[in-house]
Amino acid sequence: MTRRAAMLGAVALTMLSSLPAMAQDAEKQTLRFSAVFSNQDIRASMTEQFGDAISERFTLEPFYGGTLFRQGTELVAIQRGNLEMGNVAPQDIANQIPAWSMISSAYLFRDIDHVHAFFASEIGQEFSQMAEEQLGIHIIGPTYFGTRHAGLAIDREIQTPEDMSGVTLRMPGGEAWQFLGSALGANPTPMDYAEVYTGLQTGAIDGQDNPLPNIQNMRFYEVLDQIVLTSHLVAFDLYVISSELWNSLSPEDQQLIQDSADAALAWSEEQHQAQEAQLIAEFEEAGLNIYEPDIDAFRAYAQQLYLDNAISESWPEGAIDAVNAL
């Protein structure tokens, strides 16, 4: 009986000693996070850093590769209360707020610094407020993953949009993507991503547009002659959190999330930009001609094409000029 009492007493003491830790864990709020990028992506490492930085107050549960919610459905999941955080494409926001189609138009942004300047500006806050009020999401920051360029399998120097006339350029399917191809002066055509390599090899298409890491991953560089650094689209998604959840947090917790995300996002940007610089050198060594065309000519042509089209009717008046001036 004495030994049994001693054992029970030890168990009781162990349970009592663990109560503070259990209580602390119970106080943590779980944040489910959904993204379509893989767990091998730079942005996955970024998300892990973010989770570690907020771990004293929150438990981040990341789901990569669209395993929790498939691409394009993260936003709806947040709106329905089935998800706390997500990596959402601007195009998905534009599906519900047409004015947001401006965000993914060609040559709106010069680089990722310009994107940051936009979201910090008055016009950027106007767009963020649209998302907050109409969709119930709070934008934490942009997640950069590269700049899109034109990779061509033709022997023609490209300096202006006029030089792209007659070039069959593979673009992703969808009206917005096809219009973007036209805004480069090319003849856009949809084609499955998996068929692009063969399309370039056989001459079914003259080129494709992608960030440099995609050109490497899909080995497009093997069947390209040149990469024209058109820089027509700064590729980024958005780290977002449910507005209802965000507004329920204390100012201290909001600041913790924002500061932690800012640091992780900045690290990811540096990693992506270093990767892009390295790839240019590698592609040149592989024999590709890589050069920058007349970007000002491309920008003027593209923006005018958008403004003359019905696609821009929903854009706030003067918004393009405001962004250009940043």
Side-chain angles (χ1 to χ4, degrees), residues 152-158 225-226 289:
L152 306 178
I154 58 174
D155 184 19
R156 181 197 301 182
E157 183 175 345
I158 305 296
D225 295 313
Q226 58 177 307
N289 183 21

Side-chain angles (χ1 to χ4, degrees), residues 9-47:
V11 171
L13 286 172
T14 300
M15 292 178 64
L16 286 171
S17 64
S18 66
L19 283 177
M22 293 170 62
Q24 185 178 16
D25 288 340
E27 292 175 1
K28 287 187 181 183
Q29 184 153 10
T30 298
L31 304 176
R32 292 166 296 178
F33 174 87
S34 178
V36 297
F37 51 73
S38 75
N39 59 1
Q40 302 299 315
D41 195 287
I42 291 173
R43 290 166 293 174
S45 298
M46 169 190 76
T47 300

